[in-house]
Amino acid sequence: MFGDLFEEDFSFLSNNHCGKGKKAKPRDSEPPAPRDFTNLSGIKNQGGTCYLNSLLQTLLFTPEFREALFALGPEELGTLDDSSKPDAKVRIIPLQLQRLFAQLLLLDQQAASTTDLTESFGWNSHEEMRQHDVQELNRILFSALETSLVGTSGHDLINRLYHGIVVNQIVCKECKNISERQEDFLDLTVAVKGVTGLEEALWNMYVEEEYFENENLYQCGACDKLVEASKSAKLRKLPPFLTISLLRFNFDFEKCERYKETSCYTFPIQINLRPFCEQTEMDDSEYMYELFSVIIHKGGCYGGHYHVYIRDVDELGNWQLQEEEDRLIEDKPLRVTENAKEIENPLAVLKGILSEEESKQIPVDQLGQKLLEKYGVSWNKKYRKQCGALRKYLQNHPQIFQFSPDENKVGLKEKHKLLFKSDSQGQTLQSPLQKNDVQWNSEKNPTGPRDNSAGCHWFDLNDSKVHPIKEKDIEKQFQGKESAYMLFYRKSQLKRPAEARGNPRYQIPEHLLNEMNAANTELQKKRAECDSANNGIDLHLHLSSCYKFHNGALHPSLTWRESVVDLTIDRRKMLGDLRQSVFQMLESWEGDMILSIARPLPAGLHLYQILDGDELTLDGIGLADGADIFVWNGKEVGGTKVMTGPDHEPVVINVLRLAEHNEGGKGQHFTESQHVFSCSTRLGDLRRALAPSGGIILKNGSGPDKEAKNWEVFLEEDMKETVKSVGLTDGCSVLILDSHDQSFVDVSGGNLTAFTYDISWLQVKNFCRTDDEEKRVKITATIETVMSDIKMKAIRELQLEEELANDSCLRPVNGNGKLLSPVPEDYTVKEAELKMGSLLGLCHGKAPTSTQLFLYFIVGSDQNTSPEMEIIVEETASVKECLNLMLEKSGLSEVCFCVLVGDNWHLRRIDWCYEAGEALSQENATLKELNVCRGDTLVITEGKLPPKGFLKIPIWWLKSSSHMKRGENAQDQVNGMTCKMDALQVSPAGDSPEYIHTDMDLCYAGSIEIAGEASLEDLKMQAMTLPYCQEQIVPLPSFLRAWTLENKHLGKLLRNNKQQLNDYKLGSRVEICIEALQKEENLGPHELLLRVQMGIPGERDYYDSTDLVWDVSKECTTWALRQRVASHYCLPVDKIEIAKYFPEKFEWLPISSWTQQISKRKRKKKQESLQLAPYHLKDGDIIGVKNLLLDDTKDFSTVRDDVGKEKQRQLALEKKKSRQAERLQDHVFSDEKLIKHRKPEVALSINVGVFR
């Protein structure tokens, strides 16, 4: 957090131990460094202002905020030059913020200073050194800006961009009275503890209801008594920019101290807020938000550091990842990469260990030991710094881990034993979050990274440093000591003008542009002067007359200092100038002068390439400050020929021999000596030098670590190799075993048997014969063992026929017992990505070669009706060839004899929820080109591939309620399908047009392919050509009504037959429901279609519903609806009561008495549209009607509603009991800690002048 405030400057020290070094120049004398390759500027840390820097960068990269601030001119804000005048009205804070933003956008410097801004806040040096909370600063800074901008055109700047409204409602269960309270917000604060992510937190806040019941009742103002009630909250008004603060800091009441919540907390890149809003009728784009800034906190609750991930909306920076870093990562050994992935997620590691245990619970201490045994790392060394103590970490995840009553044992909860099984990489497979039948679909709320195309460039702004990052790097901030703390979203509708893209000068006032231009000119002048002074380099000249060559390297005859001459020269000069300078320094030099690059090694000084090309610059040939130059004749030193270059580097090797008295033969006693060899020395020569009487050489590549498991025998065929080719480097150890010691070595296996640990192994289970299916054998192997050898060993161990080798393969078995794709026999264990100890199945069938793919496939997306099949194809096969092979294997090719095989079918990938997903549309492309991998699952889907731009839409037919049997519950007839959609479980793909059930009012008619530019009338016309629809008597498309089908309910009513389908934004997976009408219908945009039903007098039931079209263009009020309903039934307005039905809650909300429950003072305000809260009236809603002339009861509920409510109440009680049980188990581990005395906290404040 403190930046470079306490960094020591060691530049006065030379990189070479024999040089004199250079004196460091004062930092103040040098101009600030220019911007790096990102072309973005950071902000200097004043000692403890990283929280301020992160928030300022977020505001800077909020273009609408930045431009609104720049729009305020000197005539409104004043000027900084007048700030010293006593009577001047200068608004210093917005002026300094304008100036800082201009510097960050235009000034060519690596980091800008916030000193002037913090001085305008009234902060002193002590305030700048204190650490504060960025969420607190966000509120205080906005308040200061609002106060500073009073009386200007920007007085509503904060309110316009960040202000939103939350409405809290309490509904009385008896009189249905609604008590409502609004709350304004500039940021939303959401819980972290006990929830898995942002969506779940918002769901708990704005979807879940709180019930007042039993002993906890609500005092209703209308009833004037304690009653049962429900409390809920909704977002009434969404701001253009949504700020979300995460409550990561909590208080432990048992320990009386604060702590930071470090558990995993996910948040999406895009989020749809429709489920949390009061008004949900608008288009999806009104609710879509995109993440553009994440402020991250690293540390604990009493201190730490802030930095921010920001999306560059206007593409002002240069987003380019360093390819060198990616190359180095890819070049790491595969084993290291696998291990890193395997133990990266502690939650997955612990669940993997516990899921493998046969007993339900194991001791906590034993869990730590099993972690050490399985992964080779301890909890304290790997995870404690990030996640805290092991017991505390387990207690922080009560939804996953379950403790015994005495808290000494821990295990997985039952649901996680089924849902969370660790795979071979230590990752977990988890079903998506579901709540109240709502699934957080990754298509609607993508949390994964998007392509880093235009507008998706992310940067990490960490005080003065700016680095480009990938969007997927955000996922690393979901959990741990370094995790997300504030989230900033912007409306997806907000589009930036084309002229703002890549233009940092956009909308900046002229006076600030002139100031920045002048400052850049001054910076360039200072940098030119400093560059001239900084180009001198110090070279260390080693004279050959002061050196001698022995033991494979050069060594000084005198001391190091006496053998070296320092020379300072401009790096931009030529090599010829350097040679001339050396001649002038060494007047006594005779003969040829050769300059060679030298480097000190552990063995001594070694020479590399000769400097040649006098016309080249010193910088061009790579001479850096502190470089070592050897001056000699190019042939010999002191009469000894010297070999140069990297091929003759001297290597210092530790030579070990077993001690004479080595009791037990455990290798713990060695005699050690150092020898120097050229890296080009052959091993045979090395053996003759070290063991002239014969012997065996073993290598330990781990340097000083002499553990026996690392020893490797050099075989006879290795003797022709060189020291360099076998990997011997400085510090490596070799063990020389004489003839009497060779009994310890298994030469054929290459192991030191007296020192080795248990050999690694794989399990093989017999799946070839059912009688021996449970038999398993252990096969010893290493990561380099070929799979064909493992198979042959397994066949012999299982005592099977040798002929089985030609018709069998090895298939990994996952944690669920499923056989995975066979492993090619020419692969090694390492190439097959198998972990030691893994279970393999020996199965019938040939294994694929390295150029073949083993694929799973199913016909249709329903696994219950179509079993999963397997096939092996060449990776160079085309999609069409693969489809024909699959059709042939599944027997469908015989069914399709009348048409060309494959013309009526196409292939799709399987998506994450195991349904048919993306189509493989390029039929002539190869599987390899489409990145189809070994073990993938494909779906054979009926129908041709839809052309580009076409929609494939399933059509359902809704029967009118008049066709229903007499005597059926009228409530079940509402909308013709409201209560019967739960029976819909058949996928439309590939089904024949038939009734789903004999009593169903909805049946599948078929699917159509239609262009997105076609009209709604064209869709209806095409639907009429389907075989089932032809059986119905429909004269014209205007006699049809079209609905979208969403989550087993009628969704949006499609109006205007002439409108294009693309205008409805239907999406690729939309389903359309067609309803036949008795007369033509062409609803206007202001006409509302309602289903009204009259109550049966004396019964808790209703007659059949009828359609009611209501024109709401003039008003959509209670009185207008009552008039329309009364006119429809030819009844007086005062003799009816109406109510809206909420089927998901089994509740009726009376409409007629709404205005009678409020005071006259508020009545005018409450006479709002019924399309708003609390009714949200929309097409297809059910309106119940009571005829007071025949039935004076005002109870709209039915018997079915009572049953539904009772079921909901039972579910709520079960949920409450489970939560109470979890809380009882969530005991905090009381571990004694040293109490640290901390400084008292000081409230954050910003001083603002009075401008009212």
Side-chain angles (χ1 to χ4, degrees):
M1 178 169 183
F2 295 95
D4 56 1
L5 186 70
F6 301 114
E7 288 183 1
E8 295 187 47
D9 185 8
F10 292 102
S11 59
F12 63 86
L13 295 179
S14 171
N15 294 330
N16 193 300
H17 54 269
C18 55
K20 295 179 181 178
K22 296 174 65 176
K23 293 183 179 179
K25 298 181 180 179
R27 291 187 177 182
D28 295 339
S29 64
E30 295 184 1
R35 303 187 180 207
D36 57 16
F37 70 97
T38 63
N39 199 33
L40 296 179
S41 175
I43 301 178
K44 294 178 184 177
N45 194 323
Q46 297 187 49
T49 57
C50 58
Y51 66 100
L52 173 65
N53 296 348
S54 300
L55 182 60
L56 290 175
Q57 292 283 20
T58 299
L59 295 178
L60 172 71
F61 283 90
T62 308
E64 291 76 4
F65 177 88
R66 181 181 72 222
E67 291 164 9
L69 188 66
F70 281 145
L72 302 172
E75 62 276 3
E76 292 186 286
L77 303 180
T79 61
L80 292 174
D81 295 335
D82 297 334
S83 58
S84 59
K85 297 179 181 179
D87 298 329
K89 203 172 186 179
V90 180
R91 306 170 194 265
I92 300 179
I93 292 179
L95 285 172
Q96 289 291 3
L97 204 54
Q98 280 185 346
R99 191 165 179 268
L100 176 62
F101 281 3
Q103 291 175 352
L104 292 170
L105 291 170
L106 300 177
L107 200 57
D108 185 20
Q109 59 182 3
Q110 183 180 0
S113 172
T114 56
T115 304
D116 293 337
L117 179 65
T118 53
E119 286 181 359
S120 70
F121 290 170
W123 294 359
N124 53 30
S125 58
H126 297 290
E127 187 65 41
E128 293 159 357
M129 290 295 294
R130 288 195 183 101
Q131 301 183 28
H132 287 287
D133 184 72
V134 69
Q135 298 175 2
E136 179 187 13
L137 173 69
N138 183 59
R139 299 184 180 99
I140 292 174
L141 180 59
F142 279 3
S143 175
L145 280 174
E146 284 185 319
T147 306
S148 298
L149 297 178
V150 167
T152 69
S153 59
H155 65 92
D156 62 340
L157 170 62
I158 303 300
N159 191 72
R160 188 171 70 248
L161 297 181
Y162 298 94
H163 175 258
I165 297 176
V166 173
V167 59
N168 295 282
Q169 294 180 341
I170 299 179
V171 181
C172 175
K173 293 292 184 180
E174 295 193 6
C175 69
K176 308 302 179 183
N177 178 55
I178 300 175
S179 175
E180 192 175 279
R181 177 173 57 87
Q182 283 194 173
E183 293 180 3
D184 299 328
F185 69 86
L186 295 179
D187 65 301
L188 292 178
T189 302
V190 298
V192 173
K193 183 178 181 181
V195 294
T196 59
L198 176 62
E199 296 98 332
E200 184 181 355
L202 292 175
W203 183 276
N204 293 339
M205 293 170 63
Y206 302 116
V207 177
E208 293 279 10
E209 291 187 350
E210 178 184 355
Y211 295 97
F212 297 93
E213 54 190 5
N214 300 330
E215 297 179 358
N216 182 27
L217 298 176
Y218 167 72
Q219 180 69 38
C220 177
C223 301
D224 196 24
K225 63 178 181 178
L226 293 174
V227 296
E228 291 186 350
S230 61
K231 181 181 179 182
S232 62
K234 288 286 184 182
L235 295 172
R236 173 165 286 181
K237 175 181 176 292
L238 293 174
F241 295 91
L242 181 62
T243 304
I244 298 177
S245 301
L246 307 183
L247 283 176
R248 284 208 175 267
F249 298 122
N250 286 319
F251 191 84
D252 190 330
F253 288 94
E254 291 190 9
K255 297 182 180 179
C256 291
E257 65 177 11
R258 289 190 298 177
Y259 70 95
K260 181 178 179 180
E261 195 71 46
T262 58
S263 57
C264 183
Y265 190 90
T266 63
F267 47 90
I269 299 297
Q270 290 183 325
I271 187 169
N272 188 339
L273 297 180
R274 181 193 294 270
F276 318 115
C277 291
E278 183 183 39
Q279 303 176 27
T280 59
E281 299 84 9
M282 294 182 289
D283 190 80
D284 263 343
S285 58
E286 296 288 337
Y287 307 95
M288 291 301 298
Y289 281 76
E290 296 178 350
L291 184 71
F292 76 98
S293 177
V294 182
I295 293 183
I296 299 157
H297 181 264
K298 178 181 181 181
C301 56
Y302 295 105
H305 175 65
Y306 290 94
H307 63 108
V308 61
Y309 286 176
I310 287 181
R311 181 162 70 94
D312 186 7
V313 178
D314 281 348
E315 299 184 32
L316 304 178
N318 177 28
W319 190 91
Q320 181 180 359
L321 291 177
Q322 298 183 10
E323 297 179 357
E324 183 65 18
E325 293 181 2
D326 293 342
R327 184 183 65 78
L328 290 176
I329 292 173
E330 292 173 359
D331 288 346
K332 287 184 179 179
L334 184 60
R335 177 177 56 81
V336 177
T337 304
E338 289 175 349
N339 289 343
K341 289 181 180 178
E342 187 172 341
I343 61 176
E344 183 178 357
N345 188 348
L347 199 60
V349 170
L350 294 177
K351 288 190 289 186
I353 295 174
L354 291 173
S355 64
E356 295 174 358
E357 292 298 316
E358 295 180 358
S359 58
K360 292 185 177 180
Q361 292 184 331
I362 63 173
V364 178
D365 297 336
Q366 189 177 341
L367 176 61
Q369 182 64 26
K370 288 183 178 292
L371 172 66
L372 180 61
E373 292 173 357
K374 184 172 182 179
Y375 295 98
V377 293
S378 67
W379 178 270
N380 289 341
K381 184 175 291 186
K382 179 67 181 177
Y383 303 113
R384 186 181 180 93
K385 185 175 181 181
Q386 179 185 11
C387 305
L390 175 59
R391 188 181 294 269
K392 181 71 174 179
Y393 184 82
L394 296 171
Q395 291 170 339
N396 285 339
H397 295 81
Q399 68 275 20
I400 299 175
F401 304 106
Q402 182 174 4
F403 278 86
S404 61
D406 58 357
E407 293 194 356
N408 289 328
K409 292 184 177 181
V410 68
L412 281 179
K413 289 197 172 180
E414 286 298 325
K415 60 180 180 180
H416 290 283
K417 289 183 180 179
L418 300 175
L419 297 178
F420 299 90
K421 291 289 186 183
S422 294
D423 63 5
S424 58
Q425 280 75 29
Q427 298 167 339
T428 57
L429 305 175
Q430 179 177 352
S431 62
L433 173 65
Q434 295 188 4
K435 256 197 161 176
N436 291 5
D437 295 332
V438 176
Q439 178 171 310
W440 294 107
N441 194 313
S442 61
E443 294 179 1
K444 295 183 179 180
N445 299 304
T447 59
R450 301 173 295 178
D451 293 331
N452 286 299
S453 56
C456 298
H457 299 169
W458 284 83
F459 293 88
D460 178 10
L461 292 98
N462 193 344
D463 288 339
S464 301
K465 300 175 183 177
V466 182
H467 298 292
I469 60 171
K470 296 181 180 179
E471 195 172 79
K472 65 180 181 182
D473 291 340
I474 300 174
E475 297 176 1
K476 299 177 183 177
Q477 308 304 329
F478 285 172
Q479 63 183 350
K481 292 289 186 181
E482 183 177 3
S483 50
Y485 190 57
M486 285 188 77
L487 308 176
F488 296 83
Y489 286 85
R490 55 183 290 122
K491 266 197 174 182
S492 302
Q493 283 185 333
L494 297 174
K495 303 299 180 184
R496 299 291 297 146
E499 55 269 27
R501 182 175 178 179
N503 181 15
R505 306 172 68 88
Y506 183 72
Q507 297 291 345
I508 297 182
E510 190 68 24
H511 69 281
L512 287 175
L513 289 175
N514 296 334
E515 182 181 347
M516 295 304 111
N517 289 337
N520 278 327
T521 303
E522 185 65 21
L523 277 176
Q524 292 175 4
K525 181 180 177 182
K526 287 185 177 181
R527 288 192 183 117
E529 296 172 355
C530 188
D531 179 70
S532 178
N534 287 342
N535 271 308
I537 58 173
D538 286 343
L539 301 179
H540 309 299
L541 304 179
H542 301 260
L543 308 180
S544 61
S545 58
C546 301
Y547 278 81
K548 58 183 178 181
F549 185 84
H550 70 90
N551 207 13
L554 292 166
H555 299 272
S557 305
L558 308 172
T559 63
W560 280 104
R561 289 190 176 275
E562 292 173 336
S563 305
V564 176
V565 178
D566 287 341
L567 172 66
T568 302
I569 190 170
D570 194 316
R571 71 176 74 237
R572 293 171 292 189
K573 287 192 175 183
M574 307 295 181
L575 180 59
D577 298 329
L578 172 62
R579 198 183 305 277
Q580 186 65 31
S581 300
V582 175
F583 265 119
Q584 293 174 0
M585 291 179 63
L586 307 176
E587 298 177 355
S588 60
W589 186 272
E590 295 179 1
D592 295 336
M593 175 183 288
I594 301 298
L595 303 180
S596 295
I597 296 291
R599 185 185 302 166
L601 299 176
L605 196 69
H606 183 67
L607 306 185
Y608 292 86
Q609 75 271 22
I610 296 175
L611 297 179
D612 196 14
D614 288 355
E615 71 283 356
L616 300 177
T617 64
L618 301 181
D619 193 46
I621 62 177
L623 278 184
D625 190 29
D628 294 281
I629 306 294
F630 194 77
V631 184
W632 63 315
N633 58 14
K635 299 177 182 178
E636 48 83 22
V637 174
T640 305
K641 185 178 180 181
V642 177
M643 304 300 292
T644 64
D647 292 335
H648 300 281
E649 280 186 0
V651 178
V652 178
I653 298 176
N654 296 323
V655 179
L656 308 176
R657 298 178 188 272
L658 289 178
E660 293 183 3
H661 302 286
N662 183 12
E663 297 181 1
K666 298 300 182 183
Q668 64 269 34
H669 300 298
F670 292 94
T671 60
E672 182 174 353
S673 60
Q674 289 190 340
H675 294 259
V676 178
F677 294 92
S678 171
C679 64
S680 59
T681 303
R682 296 186 182 276
L683 287 184
D685 299 334
L686 184 143
R687 182 173 66 177
R688 282 190 291 273
L690 298 178
S693 59
I696 294 178
I697 302 178
L698 297 94
K699 179 185 85 168
N700 185 345
S702 58
D705 180 13
K706 305 177 184 61
E707 291 186 10
K709 62 181 178 181
N710 295 315
W711 290 107
E712 173 187 339
V713 177
F714 285 129
L715 304 178
E716 193 62 35
E717 52 265 29
D718 297 329
M719 293 299 111
K720 296 181 181 180
E721 300 291 332
T722 63
V723 169
K724 183 177 182 179
S725 63
V726 298
L728 287 176
T729 57
D730 288 315
C732 285
S733 300
V734 295
L735 177 62
I736 307 298
L737 293 181
D738 297 330
S739 56
H740 64 277
D741 296 324
Q742 294 180 20
S743 59
F744 295 134
V745 177
D746 175 14
V747 178
S748 62
N751 292 320
L752 190 59
T753 56
F755 299 87
T756 53
Y757 295 88
D758 290 341
I759 300 172
S760 299
W761 47 268
L762 295 169
Q763 297 183 80
V764 178
K765 182 177 179 181
N766 181 20
F767 283 92
C768 292
R769 292 210 310 257
T770 55
D771 54 346
D772 292 333
E773 187 173 351
E774 295 302 322
K775 186 176 181 182
R776 298 186 185 186
V777 292
K778 285 186 178 180
I779 306 298
T780 58
T782 68
I783 61 173
E784 299 300 333
T785 305
V786 181
M787 297 305 298
S788 58
D789 295 341
I790 296 176
K791 184 178 78 171
M792 292 305 300
K793 290 180 182 178
I795 291 175
R796 287 194 290 268
E797 291 285 338
L798 292 168
Q799 299 178 357
L800 302 175
E801 298 83 0
E802 293 288 339
E803 292 76 12
L804 191 62
N806 298 324
D807 188 29
S808 61
C809 59
L810 291 176
R811 301 179 63 173
V813 183
N814 68 3
N816 295 324
K818 178 182 178 181
L819 287 170
L820 304 181
S821 59
V823 181
E825 293 192 352
D826 55 348
Y827 274 24
T828 63
V829 174
K830 181 179 180 181
E831 291 170 336
E833 300 181 359
L834 294 176
K835 287 197 308 179
M836 287 302 174
S838 299
L839 176 61
L840 302 174
L842 182 65
C843 308
H844 282 296
K846 290 188 176 181
T849 65
S850 56
T851 61
Q852 291 179 323
L853 296 176
F854 178 90
L855 303 175
Y856 301 97
F857 71 96
I858 58 176
V859 181
S861 59
D862 190 357
Q863 276 191 296
N864 297 324
T865 59
S866 174
E868 190 176 65
M869 291 175 277
E870 303 168 350
I871 193 172
I872 297 177
V873 296
E874 294 289 337
E875 62 181 8
T876 55
S878 67
V879 174
K880 196 166 188 177
E881 293 170 347
C882 179
L883 173 61
N884 290 335
L885 290 173
M886 291 179 175
L887 289 172
E888 184 177 351
K889 184 160 186 177
S890 60
L892 291 175
S893 59
E894 300 175 1
V895 181
C896 305
F897 63 91
C898 58
V899 295
L900 187 62
V901 176
D903 279 2
N904 254 8
W905 303 86
H906 63 275
L907 284 178
R908 291 181 177 269
R909 298 182 193 268
I910 205 81
D911 63 9
W912 65 274
C913 55
Y914 219 77
E915 294 179 354
E918 174 193 2
L920 300 180
S921 56
Q922 303 177 35
E923 292 187 327
N924 296 323
T926 65
L927 299 177
K928 184 177 182 180
E929 291 171 346
L930 296 179
N931 293 324
V932 177
C933 303
R934 176 165 58 98
D936 284 356
T937 303
L938 301 180
V939 183
I940 300 179
T941 308
E942 188 176 8
K944 295 182 180 180
L945 281 169
K948 191 174 182 180
F950 274 63
L951 300 172
K952 187 171 183 178
I953 303 176
I955 302 296
W956 297 83
W957 187 271
L958 178 65
K959 294 175 60 180
S960 63
S961 58
S962 60
H963 294 164
M964 293 192 61
K965 300 176 184 178
R966 192 67 185 160
E968 286 182 339
N969 190 340
Q971 192 63 50
D972 294 344
Q973 305 175 30
V974 174
N975 282 347
M977 62 171 286
T978 301
C979 308
K980 300 191 176 183
M981 283 298 295
D982 291 339
L984 284 179
Q985 296 178 352
V986 179
S987 172
D991 293 339
S992 59
E994 58 185 11
Y995 289 98
I996 304 301
H997 192 273
T998 54
D999 283 341
M1000 284 302 299
D1001 296 318
L1002 196 79
C1003 59
Y1004 177 63
S1007 62
I1008 63 173
E1009 292 181 5
I1010 189 168
E1013 292 80 10
S1015 65
L1016 178 61
E1017 187 176 25
D1018 296 332
L1019 182 143
K1020 293 179 180 179
M1021 287 285 291
Q1022 201 163 336
M1024 290 169 62
T1025 63
L1026 294 173
Y1028 177 80
C1029 300
Q1030 290 177 357
E1031 299 175 5
Q1032 316 298 323
I1033 303 175
V1034 180
L1036 292 170
S1038 56
F1039 283 79
L1040 293 177
R1041 182 185 294 157
W1043 303 80
T1044 61
L1045 213 54
E1046 300 173 0
N1047 297 327
K1048 301 182 181 180
H1049 295 285
L1050 292 181
K1052 179 180 174 184
L1053 177 62
L1054 303 182
R1055 290 177 166 83
N1056 190 354
N1057 286 332
K1058 302 300 181 182
Q1059 190 165 344
Q1060 289 187 1
L1061 298 180
N1062 285 339
D1063 297 337
Y1064 294 110
K1065 299 181 180 179
L1066 298 177
S1068 60
R1069 295 194 176 186
V1070 70
E1071 299 183 28
I1072 298 296
C1073 179
I1074 299 296
E1075 181 183 4
L1077 305 174
Q1078 299 298 323
K1079 60 180 181 179
E1080 289 186 277
E1081 179 181 84
N1082 188 14
L1083 296 177
H1086 300 293
E1087 289 182 319
L1088 204 61
L1089 176 67
L1090 303 175
R1091 312 277 197 183
V1092 294
Q1093 52 188 23
M1094 177 64 73
I1096 302 176
E1099 299 182 23
R1100 296 181 66 193
D1101 209 340
Y1102 292 87
Y1103 294 109
D1104 291 348
S1105 63
T1106 59
D1107 293 343
L1108 173 67
V1109 178
W1110 178 30
D1111 186 359
V1112 296
S1113 57
K1114 295 183 180 179
E1115 58 177 343
C1116 184
T1117 60
T1118 303
W1119 178 250
L1121 177 59
R1122 284 172 56 81
Q1123 283 185 316
R1124 181 69 184 90
V1125 173
S1127 172
H1128 179 75
Y1129 285 106
C1130 300
L1131 293 171
V1133 178
D1134 58 343
K1135 296 301 180 182
I1136 64 169
E1137 287 289 340
I1138 57 177
K1140 179 189 170 179
Y1141 184 58
F1142 292 88
E1144 67 277 2
K1145 298 180 181 180
F1146 302 98
E1147 291 181 351
W1148 294 85
L1149 182 60
I1151 299 178
S1152 56
S1153 59
W1154 185 29
T1155 56
Q1156 300 171 12
Q1157 298 175 359
I1158 57 177
S1159 63
K1160 293 181 179 180
R1161 183 171 58 85
K1162 295 183 179 179
R1163 185 169 299 173
K1164 185 175 181 180
K1165 182 179 179 181
K1166 290 291 181 180
Q1167 289 289 346
E1168 297 175 351
S1169 172
L1170 290 178
Q1171 293 176 304
L1172 303 178
Y1175 298 101
H1176 300 290
L1177 215 57
K1178 61 183 183 301
D1179 291 313
D1181 277 349
I1182 306 162
I1183 303 296
V1185 184
K1186 290 285 186 178
N1187 183 356
L1188 300 182
L1189 296 174
L1190 302 175
D1191 187 1
D1192 57 353
T1193 61
K1194 296 184 180 181
D1195 180 15
F1196 287 85
S1197 64
T1198 64
V1199 176
R1200 177 179 169 275
D1201 295 333
D1202 295 342
V1203 175
K1205 282 185 179 181
E1206 180 61 25
K1207 288 182 179 179
Q1208 283 188 339
R1209 192 181 71 82
Q1210 293 294 338
L1211 288 174
L1213 285 176
E1214 291 176 6
K1215 190 174 181 181
K1216 187 176 181 180
K1217 290 179 181 178
S1218 64
R1219 285 179 177 174
Q1220 290 175 348
E1222 287 180 0
R1223 277 196 288 266
L1224 289 174
Q1225 296 170 359
D1226 188 17
H1227 296 297
V1228 181
F1229 179 63
S1230 55
D1231 190 11
E1232 294 185 0
K1233 292 184 179 180
L1234 294 175
I1235 300 176
K1236 297 181 179 179
H1237 297 283
R1238 300 182 177 92
K1239 296 180 180 179
E1241 297 184 2
V1242 181
L1244 183 66
S1245 63
I1246 296 178
N1247 299 329
V1248 188
V1250 179
F1251 301 103
R1252 297 186 182 278

